[in-house]
């Protein structure tokens, strides 16, 4: 009697291939507000530990709070750590997570007059190195910004 092997259908194989992508697109852990609460307290060491936790979580909801934390960071290495966390999180598409909210963030936060905030934002965006941040990086390097900001 011949044995029949159950072969998965093409649809079944497609669904199996999409499962990792769908899992990456969902919010794994906390919402943006809870990330803001976590990133908004503690000293520099606790803040760095929370940034590392956000990077390890892969939670897309941590994106904008990480950018906000980078701008308000009291030390440059924390802004760089936020950029590294954003890079580690990774983004499956422009319509999900931080990339969807990035234009609104840029419009609001790029108008800051604080040189320290501008430099920290430049640090975080440079480390993140996503193609969508090329325009904000060019804006930060524009001649109307201070020399210190342009250097970053």
């Amino acid at each position: 009697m011949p044995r029949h092997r159950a072969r998965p259908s093409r649809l079944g194989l497609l669904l199996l291939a999409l499962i990792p992508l769908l899992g990456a697109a969902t919010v794994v852990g906390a919402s943006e507000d809870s990330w803001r609460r976590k990133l908004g307290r503690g000293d520099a060491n606790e803040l760095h530990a929370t940034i590392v936790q956000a990077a390890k979580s892969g939670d897309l909801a941590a994106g904008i709070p990480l950018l906000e934390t980078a701008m308000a960071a009291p030390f440059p290495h924390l802004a760089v750590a936020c950029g590294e966390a954003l890079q580690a999180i990774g983004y499956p598409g422009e319509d999900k997570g931080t990339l969807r909210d990035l234009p609104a963030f840029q419009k609001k936060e790029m108008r800051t007059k604080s040189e320290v905030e501008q430099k920290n934002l430049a640090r975080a965006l440079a480390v993140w190195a996503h193609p969508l941040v090329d325009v904000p990086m060019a804006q930060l390097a524009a001649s109307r910004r201070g020399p210190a900001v342009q250097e970053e």
Side-chain angles (χ1 to χ4, degrees):
M1 196 161 159
R3 289 185 167 181
H4 290 133
R5 284 189 168 173
R7 290 181 26 196
S9 67
R10 287 184 183 170
L11 179 62
L13 290 173
L14 179 65
L15 289 175
L16 284 175
L18 289 177
I19 286 174
L21 294 176
L22 294 174
T26 59
V27 174
V28 175
S31 68
E32 281 188 15
D33 291 333
S34 66
W35 278 113
R36 279 187 184 95
R37 282 193 299 275
K38 289 178 185 179
L39 292 166
R41 60 183 165 167
D43 64 354
N45 291 331
E46 291 175 11
L47 182 58
H48 189 270
T50 307
I51 293 168
V52 170
Q53 177 188 3
K56 288 180 181 177
S57 76
D59 190 353
L60 296 177
I64 294 296
L66 281 168
L67 285 173
E68 293 168 351
T69 301
M71 286 183 68
F75 302 105
H77 74 280
L78 294 175
V80 171
C82 287
E84 290 171 348
L86 287 164
Q87 189 178 44
I89 289 172
Y91 295 95
E94 296 178 15
D95 59 334
K96 297 173 182 71
T98 299
L99 297 184
R100 181 191 63 231
D101 301 331
L102 191 60
F105 177 82
Q106 288 173 4
K107 190 174 185 179
K108 180 177 129 189
E109 299 297 335
M110 291 294 287
R111 294 183 181 167
T112 182
K113 300 293 183 205
S114 168
E115 189 172 286
V116 172
E117 287 183 353
Q118 290 176 359
K119 287 167 50 175
N120 281 342
L121 183 60
R123 291 175 182 123
L125 294 179
V127 174
W128 185 11
H130 193 281
L132 285 179
V133 301
D134 288 346
V135 172
M137 286 297 296
Q139 290 174 350
L140 287 169
S143 62
R144 60 178 189 234
R145 305 284 183 178
V149 175
Q150 292 178 29
E151 288 173 5
E152 290 296 328

